Amino acid sequence: MRGNRKRFWHIGWWWSVTIDHVQGRTPRERTGITWPGARQPTTDWLRRLRQDWLTVPGQIDDADLDITARFPWQHDPEMTVAHTIAWVNTELTKNAAEIGQLRLLRAASRA
């Protein structure tokens, strides 16, 4: 479970901070984001972040998509809010695949 706990915390951390940046809020400190606990608390946390993320497209317009992204590229003028949105979807896919691999390894080690 330890590997998944770190993975879930990592998802919660970068997703929380990304939402803060895209919505123009001061981003939370890394140390201020804690893992809520195994199973249901983590599931609830990630579901709340998902709900928050789903509101993002309705809060920005086409002009906002072209603004230089403040996260995760630290004001690289080549990277825009549109890139951030695409990055979030890719990062979620990557993290889900990592969790799947950890689950497969755990299942295989029990066999």
Side-chain angles (χ1 to χ4, degrees):
M1 181 62 187
R2 186 161 176 79
N4 277 341
R5 180 177 72 191
K6 286 181 177 182
R7 187 79 49 231
F8 287 126
W9 176 85
H10 177 74
I11 294 168
W13 166 73
W14 65 255
W15 212 356
S16 297
V17 172
T18 302
I19 291 167
D20 289 342
H21 278 285
V22 172
Q23 293 182 334
R25 296 189 305 244
T26 301
R28 289 163 252 199
E29 293 293 325
R30 185 181 184 107
T31 56
I33 299 172
T34 58
W35 183 65
R39 295 181 174 71
Q40 197 60 49
T42 293
T43 300
D44 293 344
W45 180 42
L46 294 176
R47 284 183 177 155
R48 281 191 308 274
L49 288 170
R50 177 184 176 272
Q51 283 306 116
D52 289 349
W53 184 248
L54 290 174
T55 67
V56 167
Q59 297 172 349
I60 58 177
D61 59 26
D62 288 346
D64 293 329
L65 293 174
D66 294 330
I67 294 172
T68 299
R70 297 187 300 156
F71 184 81
W73 301 283
Q74 311 310 322
H75 300 287
D76 178 344
E78 298 293 318
M79 305 309 275
T80 66
V81 170
H83 289 106
T84 298
I85 291 170
W87 169 78
V88 165
N89 293 326
T90 303
E91 190 71 14
L92 282 168
T93 302
K94 177 189 75 78
N95 287 148
E98 290 169 346
I99 291 165
Q101 287 296 315
L102 290 170
R103 291 176 56 116
L104 286 171
L105 287 171
R106 184 183 322 148
S109 69
R110 291 181 184 160

